[in-house]
């Protein structure tokens, strides 16, 4: 494939989805990641794409010119959007926010915190210096450490994060992750599974809610929920030896007949489990039914994984709408909006 053909393919993908990840797209095109990275750089130099860590986004200036844009009669607003990453979970959130902002004639400026609190605050300071009218933010710090946002002097909306209800001015748009976990548990139980486990990443900002929904789902069905069915990956990816040991402990429990189904948060860990289970002579879904949580890459596993799909794009749309309404009507009642995820059925859980 010639360079220009690749460039057109990249632009088509960005118009369709709003973002792409270099490594995934390189595999799809059957070329090296270095080649796609150079293509993205070339397009960025022409102002056709915006580079982010590990991928690319479609800037507002490269949006489909045929798409209708409704602009307000007064001066345009500028919203900042700060998220931890643009290459997992958040691309669809960003896309939804971008579309909602364009429909309202709002300029959206993106910042990436890379899960570093100091970088997050630096990004917010930079946005404030550029004169934003409001802030959309998915904080990367502890849930209880969000009071600093109230001192910014602009309205803000939390995206996929919950704060204490006593944080002045805090509004939020989130996925109901507990509901999503209950969906998964009910599906597994209806498939005839009775020993349903949970595998979580300790560093997941949504892990506590997923566990809450998992336990609630089991309780509502009268199924046991012993701690022996719950597994947590505490080792970071930078500690592969300890991480492998924790994953091996889980597959050992499956081999010992401790559980016959599992909800895995997130997709990456669910996919990593498949070859480990096969190495022990265990089959999916025969010996273990799996539901992944996030539905980012679950469909790409060699056994396509049933997954809970958070409504990421809808969250981005609703967050922009909530912030715009707050600015238009400063005294209106504070809102906390939860949007329900869906279950995407595939081969791994039946």
């Amino acid at each position: 494939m010639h360079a220009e053909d690749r460039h057109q393919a990249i632009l088509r993908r960005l118009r369709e989805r709003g973002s792409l990840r270099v490594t995934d797209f390189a595999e799809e095109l059957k070329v090296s990641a270095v080649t796609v990275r150079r293509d993205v750089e070339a397009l960025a130099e022409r102002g056709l794409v915006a580079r982010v860590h590990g991928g690319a986004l479609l800037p507002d200036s490269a949006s489909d010119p045929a798409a209708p844009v409704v602009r307000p009669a007064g001066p345009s607003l500028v919203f900042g959007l700060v998220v931890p990453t643009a290459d997992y979970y958040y691309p669809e959130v960003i896309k939804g926010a971008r579309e909602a902002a364009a429909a309202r004639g709002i300029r959206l400026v993106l910042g990436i915190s890379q899960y570093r609190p100091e970088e997050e605050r630096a990004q917010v300071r930079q946005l404030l210096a550029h004169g934003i009218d409001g802030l959309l933010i998915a904080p990367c710090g502890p849930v209880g450490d969000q009071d600093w946002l109230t001192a910014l002097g602009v309205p803000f909306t939390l995206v996929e994060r919950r704060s204490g209800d006593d944080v002045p001015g805090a509004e939020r748009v989130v996925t109901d992750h507990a509901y999503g976990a209950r969906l998964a548990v009910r599906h597994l139980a209806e498939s005839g599974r009775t020993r349903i486990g949970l595998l979580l990443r300790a560093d997941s900002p949504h892990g506590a809610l997923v566990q809450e929904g998992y336990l609630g789902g089991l309780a509502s069905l009268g199924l046991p929920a012993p701690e022996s069915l719950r597994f947590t990956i505490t080792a970071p990816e930078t500690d592969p030896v300890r991480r492998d040991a924790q994953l091996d402990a889980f597959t050992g429990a499956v081999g010992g007949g401790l559980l016959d189904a599992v909800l895995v948060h997130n997709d990456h860990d669910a996919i990593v489990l498949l070859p480990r289970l096969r190495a022990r002579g265990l089959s999916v879904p025969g010996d273990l039914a799996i539901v992944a949580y996030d539905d980012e890459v679950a469909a790409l596993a060699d056994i396509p994984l049933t997954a809970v799909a958070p409504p990421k794009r809808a969250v981005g749309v609703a967050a922009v709408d909530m912030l715009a309404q707050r600015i238009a009507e400063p005294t209106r009642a504070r809102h906390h909006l939860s949007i329900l995820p869906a279950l995407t059925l595939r081969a791994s859980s039946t």
Side-chain angles (χ1 to χ4, degrees):
M1 179 181 287
H2 296 296
E4 189 56 34
D5 294 330
R6 293 195 306 272
H7 292 178
Q8 291 303 316
I10 289 170
L11 292 172
R12 279 196 301 272
R13 174 57 55 85
L14 289 175
R15 291 190 187 102
E16 292 168 1
R17 302 186 183 179
S19 65
L20 66 79
R21 189 176 182 184
V22 165
T23 52
D24 293 343
F25 201 64
E27 183 176 352
E28 185 175 327
L29 293 184
K30 307 300 183 186
V31 298
S32 71
V34 171
T35 296
V36 174
R37 195 171 293 113
R38 287 173 179 165
D39 290 337
V40 168
E41 290 172 355
L43 290 168
E45 289 175 359
R46 292 159 60 187
L48 298 177
V49 307
R51 286 184 294 170
V52 296
H53 179 69
L57 299 172
L58 187 67
D60 290 342
S61 60
S63 299
D64 182 357
V69 176
V70 180
R71 299 195 177 277
S76 294
L77 296 173
V78 180
F79 286 178
L81 171 61
V82 178
V83 294
T85 178
D87 61 4
Y88 186 88
Y89 196 95
Y90 286 98
E92 282 296 305
V93 175
I94 294 167
K95 182 177 182 180
R98 183 168 55 85
E99 291 172 349
R104 287 177 172 270
I106 296 169
R107 182 183 172 213
L108 190 68
V109 183
L110 180 66
I112 309 294
S113 69
Q114 302 174 65
Y115 285 102
R116 293 162 47 202
E118 67 279 5
E119 178 64 21
E120 177 178 87
R121 298 198 185 200
Q123 292 278 346
V124 171
R125 286 194 298 270
Q126 185 175 3
L127 289 169
L128 290 170
H130 281 80
I132 59 171
D133 299 289
L135 177 68
L136 306 161
I137 184 168
C140 59
V143 172
D145 185 27
Q146 295 168 354
D147 287 14
W148 65 278
L149 292 167
T150 65
L152 297 178
V154 297
F156 65 93
T157 297
L158 299 174
V159 181
E160 288 290 27
R161 296 291 188 271
R162 290 158 171 79
S163 69
D165 291 341
D166 57 344
V167 177
E171 295 191 293
R172 68 181 183 228
V173 177
V174 298
T175 294
D176 190 335
H177 294 293
Y179 172 86
R182 291 196 300 273
L183 271 183
V185 168
R186 181 168 294 277
H187 168 71
L188 289 167
E190 288 174 350
S191 300
R193 309 294 171 145
T194 57
R195 304 185 305 282
I196 302 172
L198 177 67
L199 179 64
L200 284 178
R201 284 192 178 201
D203 60 357
S204 167
H206 308 141
L209 292 166
V210 171
Q211 178 164 280
E212 175 189 320
Y214 161 80
L215 293 172
L218 291 176
S220 70
L221 296 167
L223 293 174
E227 287 192 17
S228 59
L229 293 182
R230 281 175 266 163
F231 300 81
T232 303
I233 300 173
T234 59
E237 293 182 359
T238 53
D239 186 355
V241 174
R242 192 157 60 95
R243 189 177 183 82
D244 285 348
Q246 291 174 347
L247 289 168
D248 287 343
F250 173 81
T251 56
V254 178
L258 189 61
L259 61 162
D260 60 6
V262 66
L263 170 60
V264 183
H265 182 39
N266 59 32
D267 287 14
H268 287 174
D269 294 322
I271 290 176
V272 166
L273 283 177
L274 295 176
R276 292 173 180 269
L277 291 166
R278 280 195 292 269
R280 286 181 175 264
L282 300 166
S283 66
V284 175
D287 295 302
L288 184 74
I290 296 177
V291 173
Y293 199 102
D294 275 353
D295 206 18
E296 283 286 316
V297 292
L300 302 179
D302 55 6
I303 300 173
L305 299 175
T306 290
V308 177
K312 302 158 198 156
R313 188 169 173 180
V315 166
V317 170
V320 168
D321 290 345
M322 182 177 288
L323 186 56
Q325 289 174 41
R326 170 59 53 199
I327 290 173
E329 194 180 341
T331 60
R332 81 175 194 139
R334 218 169 12 133
H335 285 57
H336 289 170
L337 175 63
S338 293
I339 307 179
L340 301 181
L343 187 68
T344 304
L345 298 178
R346 300 188 183 99
S348 64
S349 65
T350 55

